[in-house]
Amino acid sequence: MTLVVVPVRYPLTSHSRATLAEAIRVAEDRAADLTVLHVNLYQDNDGVTRTELKRAVEREFGQVPRTRYAVRRGFLVEETILEEVAAENADVVVIGSKQAGRWRRTLRRFLDDPDIESFLREKLDCTVITVRAD
């Protein structure tokens, strides 16, 4: 079964809504399961629950079939997302252009000129779709 993973912020921002809309479309087109992921940062001390995440998504898009909601805790959003994508063996990751930019900055610390899409494809063997909110 094909799996699409989409990381989002909570509460949903306009960028998160655009990214989520594309992920839902991709999941429907591919008859795939969808995982909506949010990362609670340890240092922020706030904890969004799966129920809150699910309610926010359903308020915006209605009930989304074949969807799983996951909330993970981590120090770095990017690292936690990569761990989830790898653990779930995702086939497609849909990220917002803002998230891709943050990943590039993070990877730039370790690599010379990282291309986040190539990096994810190489490390995780999945398709990466970047969504612009405008």
Side-chain angles (χ1 to χ4, degrees):
M1 179 56 60
T2 303
L3 175 64
V4 176
V5 174
V6 58
V8 297
R9 290 186 176 273
Y10 181 91
L12 296 176
T13 64
S14 61
H15 288 97
S16 289
R17 286 191 293 275
T19 304
L20 192 50
E22 179 63 11
I24 292 168
R25 187 195 66 73
V26 169
E28 288 172 351
D29 287 353
R30 297 179 185 216
D33 290 337
L34 176 66
T35 296
V36 178
L37 172 66
H38 173 75
V39 178
N40 286 328
L41 294 174
Y42 284 116
Q43 58 272 30
D44 287 348
N45 233 6
D46 58 327
V48 175
T49 67
R50 279 189 347 203
T51 301
E52 291 169 324
L53 180 61
K54 181 179 181 186
R55 284 183 184 148
V57 171
E58 289 181 347
R59 262 193 311 274
E60 199 67 37
F61 297 96
Q63 187 173 6
V64 184
R66 298 171 57 181
T67 299
R68 169 182 167 267
Y69 298 87
V71 175
R72 300 289 179 254
R73 291 191 67 76
F75 286 106
L76 294 172
V77 171
E78 296 79 10
E79 182 179 317
T80 307
I81 292 168
L82 288 173
E83 288 171 358
E84 179 73 14
V85 168
E88 294 298 319
N89 198 23
D91 301 289
V92 180
V93 180
V94 181
I95 59 174
S97 57
K98 280 188 159 188
Q99 184 69 49
R102 280 191 289 278
W103 281 10
R104 275 188 206 96
R105 285 190 299 277
T106 300
L107 290 174
R108 201 167 277 134
R109 295 178 198 151
F110 305 107
L111 307 172
D112 287 335
D113 187 23
D115 173 3
I116 188 64
E117 293 179 32
S118 297
F119 178 82
L120 288 174
R121 277 190 211 100
E122 178 185 319
K123 297 295 182 192
L124 302 175
D125 191 30
C126 66
T127 301
V128 178
I129 299 171
T130 305
V131 178
R132 294 185 54 94
D134 47 6

